[in-house]
Amino acid sequence: MNRSILVISPEREVLQGVEQVLAAAPGVRLDWQATTLAEMNGHAVQMSGGYDMILFRAAGGDPAEIRAATDLAKGRSGDTVLVAMADAGLSITEAHALTRAGIDAVLPISILAEELPEQIERLQRDRSHRPERMGRLIAVSQARGGVGATTVAVNLADRLLSPADRRRAKQTARVALVDLDLQFGTVGSYLDLPEQEMLMQIAADGTIPDANFLRQSMPVLPGGLSVLAAPTRFVPLEALRNEQVTAILDSLLSTNDYVVVDLPRALAQWIEPVVRRADQLILVSDIAVSSIRHCRRLIDFFTADNIALPVQVVINNESRPLFPSALHREAAKVLERPLDHWLPHDAKAAHNAADRGRPLSQVAPRSSLSRAVGRLAASIHARFPAAVQTKEAL
Ligand SMILES: Nc1ncnc2c1ncn2[C@@H]1O[C@H](COP(=O)(O)OP(=O)(O)OP(=O)(O)O)[C@@H](O)[C@H]1O
Ligand SMILES: [Mg+2]
């Protein structure tokens, strides 16, 4: 297939690097603008129509660059894919600013050689299929065992169903909850679901599930939440393949507004397709120094493959402090992000919900814990507002 790529970079070495990587790819035309995106001063928008992809060197931290990226993302024509190439100096905050501006991917320049051909394929597929991929993937991970990740995943998924704005009561979102904690998953018991053998079956026979298979395997709760629970019997973590996880996620993302994934504590190989697709990672932690350090390591791990992935750390079992202590300030510094979400310890509400196999919104809607989860869901609704559908349209 013929493709055309525009490289915008003051350094010729970047162009040469891209040329080398693509030498083996037939039918790719490369053009070069020896300047920065900011200095192109709007010309990039005019030129975008002629290219399938624009790769530009991102300096980061330059408001003019963000303005230029925003203009380019808004003004681009057709399916032009926009990729920023970042060196190691680009901070996560700067990478976020670029994706918020509408840039499709921010790739560390160090992995360009390995990943560019695959990224070109993937980004073009994603863009040409964009109308199908309407859902947002929210992955939930934990800083230590038992910190409350599944409680967050289950109740967040439940709260994402209903709109933040009560005046739009007729509207509802389509939400799927997937328990990928293959060996120790508890989503099924938290929601009092009968045993589900789907993940076990595909791990055993290697089937790649399609939309039909998923629909038949996933029960839908009365509130509308569809759930894929973990097997109740032991399955080796590596029994699942990347292609299977990819197929499950892509299928659910094409039919849901939000897909919430409860991740296992051990980082299996098939975490990669989850991380690639994630629009938001929620790390559930407590404020202990060891947990915060583990969060930091997890953030580094997850953002290595997806540098612009927004990561939100949620502190569980602790009310938001009126005044942040030195420990809290230190934690925010280590994590390079503010601690915006705190879920208070509320043993009664949490245990009641787990015992009765119901979400907090049904068992203890007025509890401080349920309200705090509601605020977390509202922040996701606010970040990804377009996802809410009207009931009539379903
Ligand atoms: N804010 C809270 N207040 C009181 N109890 C809580 C709170 N959050 C979670 N719990 C309780 O803590 C226990 C562990 O929670 P949960 O299963 O959500 O943690 P997890 O991180 O998913 O654990 P695992 O490592 O087993 O996956 C459960 O009994 C749950 O009811
Ligand atoms: Mg869990």
Side-chain angles (χ1 to χ4, degrees), residues 142 146 148-151 181 184-186 190 262-263:
Q142 52 176 183
T150 303
T151 304
D181 189 359
F184 305 107
T186 50
Y190 280 11
D262 193 5
L263 288 174

Side-chain angles (χ1 to χ4, degrees), residues 219-237:
V220 180
L221 299 180
L225 182 65
S226 33
V227 187
L228 182 57
T232 44
R233 274 170 289 163
F234 187 81
V235 177
L237 213 51

Side-chain angles (χ1 to χ4, degrees), residues 142 145-151 181 186 190 316-317 344-347 350-351 369:
Q142 52 176 183
V147 76
T150 303
T151 304
D181 189 359
T186 50
Y190 280 11
N316 191 23
N317 284 305
H345 181 73
D346 189 339
H351 291 161
L369 179 55

Side-chain angles (χ1 to χ4, degrees), residues 19 50 101 112-113 128 137 159 163 201 235 252 254 276 356 376:
E19 253 166 4
L112 214 55
S128 50
L137 195 153
R159 296 300 285 263
Q201 188 186 334
V235 177
L252 293 178
S254 70
R276 293 265 170 164
R356 293 172 56 187
L376 180 62

